[in-house]
Amino acid sequence: MGRFAAVAIAMMLPFLAVPAARADDVDVALVLVTDVSRSIDDSEYKLEKEGYASAFASEKVLAAIHGGPAGRIAVAYVEFASGFEVRTVLDWTVIRDKPSARAFIDQLAAAPRSFWGRTAISAGIDQGVRLFRESGFNSLRQVIDVCGDGTNNAGRKVAEARDDAVKAGITINGLAIINDHPVSWTFAHVQPPGGLANYYRENVTGGPGSFVLEVHDFASFGEAMTRKLVDEIAARPSASKYAAGRYTIRPGD
Protein backbone atom coordinates (compact mmCIF):
# COMPACT_ATOMS: atom_id res chain seq x y z
CA MET A 1 0.00 0.00 0.00
CA GLY A 2 1.36 3.40 -0.93
CA ARG A 3 2.05 6.08 1.66
CA PHE A 4 -0.65 8.42 0.33
CA ALA A 5 -3.26 5.64 0.30
CA ALA A 6 -2.42 4.75 3.90
CA VAL A 7 -2.77 8.40 4.95
CA ALA A 8 -6.12 8.69 3.16
CA ILE A 9 -7.49 5.58 4.89
CA ALA A 10 -6.30 6.82 8.27
CA MET A 11 -8.09 10.12 7.71
CA MET A 12 -11.32 8.29 6.82
CA LEU A 13 -11.35 5.90 9.78
CA PRO A 14 -13.11 8.30 12.25
CA PHE A 15 -15.96 8.70 9.76
CA LEU A 16 -16.19 5.01 8.93
CA ALA A 17 -16.39 4.13 12.64
CA VAL A 18 -19.56 6.19 13.18
CA PRO A 19 -22.45 5.09 10.94
CA ALA A 20 -24.71 7.83 9.63
CA ALA A 21 -28.05 8.15 11.40
CA ARG A 22 -30.86 6.52 9.44
CA ALA A 23 -34.25 8.15 8.90
CA ASP A 24 -35.85 5.79 11.42
CA ASP A 25 -33.21 6.37 14.13
CA VAL A 26 -34.36 8.42 17.14
CA ASP A 27 -32.71 8.99 20.49
CA VAL A 28 -35.86 8.18 22.44
CA ALA A 29 -39.33 6.95 21.53
CA LEU A 30 -41.77 8.49 24.00
CA VAL A 31 -45.44 7.74 24.57
CA LEU A 32 -47.29 10.40 26.57
CA VAL A 33 -50.08 8.60 28.45
CA THR A 34 -52.54 11.07 29.93
CA ASP A 35 -55.39 10.61 32.39
CA VAL A 36 -58.65 12.16 31.19
CA SER A 37 -60.92 10.47 33.74
CA ARG A 38 -63.84 12.20 35.42
CA SER A 39 -61.74 13.47 38.36
CA ILE A 40 -60.11 15.89 35.89
CA ASP A 41 -62.47 18.68 34.92
CA ASP A 42 -62.36 20.65 31.66
CA SER A 43 -60.31 23.51 33.08
CA GLU A 44 -57.70 21.06 34.39
CA TYR A 45 -57.67 19.23 31.07
CA LYS A 46 -57.05 22.55 29.32
CA LEU A 47 -54.12 23.24 31.64
CA GLU A 48 -52.69 19.80 30.85
CA LYS A 49 -52.82 20.57 27.13
CA GLU A 50 -51.26 23.99 27.64
CA GLY A 51 -48.55 22.41 29.77
CA TYR A 52 -47.60 19.96 27.04
CA ALA A 53 -47.52 22.84 24.55
CA SER A 54 -45.23 25.00 26.67
CA ALA A 55 -42.93 22.04 27.35
CA PHE A 56 -42.42 21.10 23.70
CA ALA A 57 -41.93 24.76 22.78
CA SER A 58 -39.27 25.15 25.48
CA GLU A 59 -35.73 25.96 24.38
CA LYS A 60 -34.51 23.57 27.09
CA VAL A 61 -36.41 20.67 25.57
CA LEU A 62 -35.30 21.53 22.02
CA ALA A 63 -31.69 21.79 23.21
CA ALA A 64 -31.97 18.35 24.82
CA ILE A 65 -33.29 16.96 21.52
CA HIS A 66 -30.48 18.55 19.52
CA GLY A 67 -27.93 17.18 21.97
CA GLY A 68 -28.67 13.54 21.19
CA PRO A 69 -26.73 11.40 18.68
CA ALA A 70 -29.65 11.34 16.22
CA GLY A 71 -30.91 14.81 17.13
CA ARG A 72 -34.54 13.76 17.04
CA ILE A 73 -37.17 11.97 19.11
CA ALA A 74 -40.43 10.21 18.29
CA VAL A 75 -43.54 11.06 20.33
CA ALA A 76 -47.06 9.64 20.48
CA TYR A 77 -49.92 10.91 22.67
CA VAL A 78 -52.52 8.65 24.32
CA GLU A 79 -55.55 9.51 26.47
CA PHE A 80 -57.23 7.03 28.79
CA ALA A 81 -60.09 6.78 31.26
CA SER A 82 -61.73 3.37 31.87
CA GLY A 83 -60.29 0.08 30.66
CA PHE A 84 -62.30 0.23 27.43
CA GLU A 85 -61.65 3.96 27.00
CA VAL A 86 -58.15 4.39 25.60
CA ARG A 87 -57.24 6.23 22.41
CA THR A 88 -54.10 7.12 20.51
CA VAL A 89 -54.90 10.78 19.88
CA LEU A 90 -51.64 11.50 18.01
CA ASP A 91 -49.69 8.70 16.38
CA TRP A 92 -45.91 8.73 16.12
CA THR A 93 -44.49 12.15 15.29
CA VAL A 94 -40.78 12.90 14.85
CA ILE A 95 -39.66 16.10 16.59
CA ARG A 96 -36.29 17.49 15.58
CA ASP A 97 -36.65 21.28 15.56
CA LYS A 98 -39.01 24.17 16.23
CA PRO A 99 -41.25 23.64 13.16
CA SER A 100 -41.79 19.94 13.92
CA ALA A 101 -42.40 20.74 17.60
CA ARG A 102 -44.91 23.43 16.62
CA ALA A 103 -46.72 21.04 14.27
CA PHE A 104 -47.06 18.52 17.14
CA ILE A 105 -48.31 21.24 19.51
CA ASP A 106 -50.90 22.47 17.00
CA GLN A 107 -52.27 18.96 16.43
CA LEU A 108 -52.46 18.34 20.17
CA ALA A 109 -54.26 21.62 20.81
CA ALA A 110 -56.82 20.87 18.10
CA ALA A 111 -57.67 17.37 19.37
CA PRO A 112 -60.88 17.15 21.45
CA ARG A 113 -61.05 15.41 24.81
CA SER A 114 -61.51 11.65 24.39
CA PHE A 115 -63.26 10.36 27.53
CA TRP A 116 -64.76 11.02 30.97
CA GLY A 117 -64.81 7.57 32.62
CA ARG A 118 -63.03 5.92 35.51
CA THR A 119 -59.23 5.51 35.72
CA ALA A 120 -57.45 2.57 34.07
CA ILE A 121 -53.78 3.52 34.08
CA SER A 122 -53.11 -0.07 33.02
CA ALA A 123 -55.02 0.48 29.76
CA GLY A 124 -52.87 3.51 28.96
CA ILE A 125 -49.66 1.57 29.62
CA ASP A 126 -50.83 -1.38 27.51
CA GLN A 127 -51.62 0.99 24.64
CA GLY A 128 -48.13 2.45 24.91
CA VAL A 129 -46.59 -1.02 24.67
CA ARG A 130 -48.63 -1.72 21.52
CA LEU A 131 -47.45 1.53 19.97
CA PHE A 132 -43.80 0.60 20.51
CA ARG A 133 -44.36 -2.75 18.80
CA GLU A 134 -45.76 -0.95 15.75
CA SER A 135 -43.51 2.13 15.69
CA GLY A 136 -40.85 1.07 13.19
CA PHE A 137 -38.27 3.30 14.91
CA ASN A 138 -34.79 2.34 16.05
CA SER A 139 -34.52 4.05 19.44
CA LEU A 140 -31.88 4.00 22.13
CA ARG A 141 -34.67 4.12 24.74
CA GLN A 142 -38.40 3.51 24.94
CA VAL A 143 -40.25 5.53 27.57
CA ILE A 144 -43.89 5.70 28.65
CA ASP A 145 -44.72 8.92 30.46
CA VAL A 146 -47.83 8.53 32.65
CA CYS A 147 -49.57 11.69 33.91
CA GLY A 148 -52.57 11.49 36.20
CA ASP A 149 -54.26 12.57 39.41
CA GLY A 150 -55.52 9.27 40.83
CA THR A 151 -55.12 5.55 41.38
CA ASN A 152 -55.99 2.73 39.01
CA ASN A 153 -59.65 1.85 39.68
CA ALA A 154 -60.63 0.12 36.42
CA GLY A 155 -59.18 -2.41 34.00
CA ARG A 156 -56.50 -4.90 34.97
CA LYS A 157 -54.04 -4.34 37.82
CA VAL A 158 -51.69 -1.53 36.93
CA ALA A 159 -48.66 -3.29 38.47
CA GLU A 160 -49.20 -6.17 36.03
CA ALA A 161 -49.21 -3.77 33.07
CA ARG A 162 -46.12 -2.05 34.47
CA ASP A 163 -44.27 -5.37 34.88
CA ASP A 164 -45.10 -6.47 31.33
CA ALA A 165 -43.81 -3.17 29.94
CA VAL A 166 -40.59 -3.32 31.94
CA LYS A 167 -39.98 -6.90 30.75
CA ALA A 168 -40.22 -5.56 27.20
CA GLY A 169 -37.39 -3.09 27.94
CA ILE A 170 -39.61 -0.05 28.43
CA THR A 171 -39.10 2.54 31.18
CA ILE A 172 -42.21 4.09 32.74
CA ASN A 173 -41.96 7.48 34.42
CA GLY A 174 -44.76 9.25 36.26
CA LEU A 175 -46.07 12.74 36.88
CA ALA A 176 -48.41 12.57 39.85
CA ILE A 177 -50.75 15.57 39.97
CA ILE A 178 -51.73 16.06 43.60
CA ASN A 179 -55.25 17.26 44.36
CA ASP A 180 -54.81 19.07 47.69
CA HIS A 181 -58.54 19.88 47.94
CA PRO A 182 -60.45 16.81 46.76
CA VAL A 183 -64.21 16.44 47.03
CA SER A 184 -65.33 13.73 49.42
CA TRP A 185 -66.21 11.09 46.81
CA THR A 186 -62.77 11.28 45.18
CA PHE A 187 -60.62 11.49 48.32
CA ALA A 188 -59.48 7.84 48.44
CA HIS A 189 -58.84 7.91 44.69
CA VAL A 190 -56.69 11.02 44.51
CA GLN A 191 -55.09 10.78 47.96
CA PRO A 192 -54.40 7.09 48.62
CA PRO A 193 -52.60 5.98 51.82
CA GLY A 194 -48.99 7.12 51.60
CA GLY A 195 -49.76 9.66 48.91
CA LEU A 196 -50.25 9.49 45.16
CA ALA A 197 -46.55 9.87 44.34
CA ASN A 198 -45.73 6.85 46.48
CA TYR A 199 -48.59 4.92 44.82
CA TYR A 200 -47.04 5.71 41.43
CA ARG A 201 -43.60 4.58 42.59
CA GLU A 202 -44.96 1.28 43.94
CA ASN A 203 -47.45 0.45 41.17
CA VAL A 204 -46.96 2.51 38.02
CA THR A 205 -43.31 3.39 37.31
CA GLY A 206 -40.45 1.02 36.60
CA GLY A 207 -37.44 0.25 34.46
CA PRO A 208 -33.90 1.68 34.39
CA GLY A 209 -33.73 5.22 35.78
CA SER A 210 -37.50 5.49 36.29
CA PHE A 211 -38.78 8.36 38.41
CA VAL A 212 -41.88 10.16 39.66
CA LEU A 213 -42.44 13.92 39.72
CA GLU A 214 -45.05 15.33 42.07
CA VAL A 215 -46.88 18.51 41.09
CA HIS A 216 -49.37 20.23 43.40
CA ASP A 217 -51.09 22.49 40.92
CA PHE A 218 -52.33 22.00 37.35
CA ALA A 219 -50.98 25.47 36.55
CA SER A 220 -47.48 24.12 37.31
CA PHE A 221 -47.94 21.21 34.92
CA GLY A 222 -46.01 22.86 32.09
CA GLU A 223 -42.91 23.50 34.19
CA ALA A 224 -43.03 19.97 35.57
CA MET A 225 -43.37 18.49 32.09
CA THR A 226 -40.48 20.60 30.78
CA ARG A 227 -38.17 19.34 33.51
CA LYS A 228 -39.40 15.81 32.96
CA LEU A 229 -38.89 15.85 29.18
CA VAL A 230 -35.38 17.25 29.48
CA ASP A 231 -34.38 14.43 31.83
CA GLU A 232 -36.09 11.77 29.70
CA ILE A 233 -34.53 12.97 26.45
CA ALA A 234 -31.08 13.50 27.94
CA ALA A 235 -31.35 10.26 30.00
CA ARG A 236 -29.95 11.93 33.08
CA PRO A 237 -32.46 11.66 35.96
CA SER A 238 -31.00 11.49 39.43
CA ALA A 239 -32.38 8.17 40.64
CA SER A 240 -31.91 8.90 44.33
CA LYS A 241 -33.50 12.34 44.08
CA TYR A 242 -36.63 11.12 42.29
CA ALA A 243 -36.97 7.80 44.10
CA ALA A 244 -37.01 9.57 47.45
CA GLY A 245 -39.98 11.61 46.29
CA ARG A 246 -38.33 14.94 46.99
CA TYR A 247 -38.73 16.28 43.46
CA THR A 248 -41.89 18.27 44.08
CA ILE A 249 -43.20 21.21 42.11
CA ARG A 250 -45.56 23.69 43.74
CA PRO A 251 -46.93 26.99 42.43
CA GLY A 252 -44.10 29.52 42.20
CA ASP A 253 -41.28 26.94 42.06
Side-chain angles (χ1 to χ4, degrees), residues 15 39 41-42 47 49 53 58 134-135 173 182 190 233 242 253:
F15 301 98
S39 60
D41 64 29
D42 281 340
L47 286 170
K49 284 285 200 75
S58 166
E134 302 165 359
S135 75
N173 296 324
V190 301
I233 295 165
Y242 293 134
D253 284 0

Side-chain angles (χ1 to χ4, degrees), residues 23 62 65-66 70-73 93-101:
L62 291 171
I65 293 172
H66 295 157
R72 52 185 175 260
I73 66 172
T93 302
V94 174
I95 298 179
R96 59 174 61 84
D97 50 23
K98 284 185 178 180
S100 55

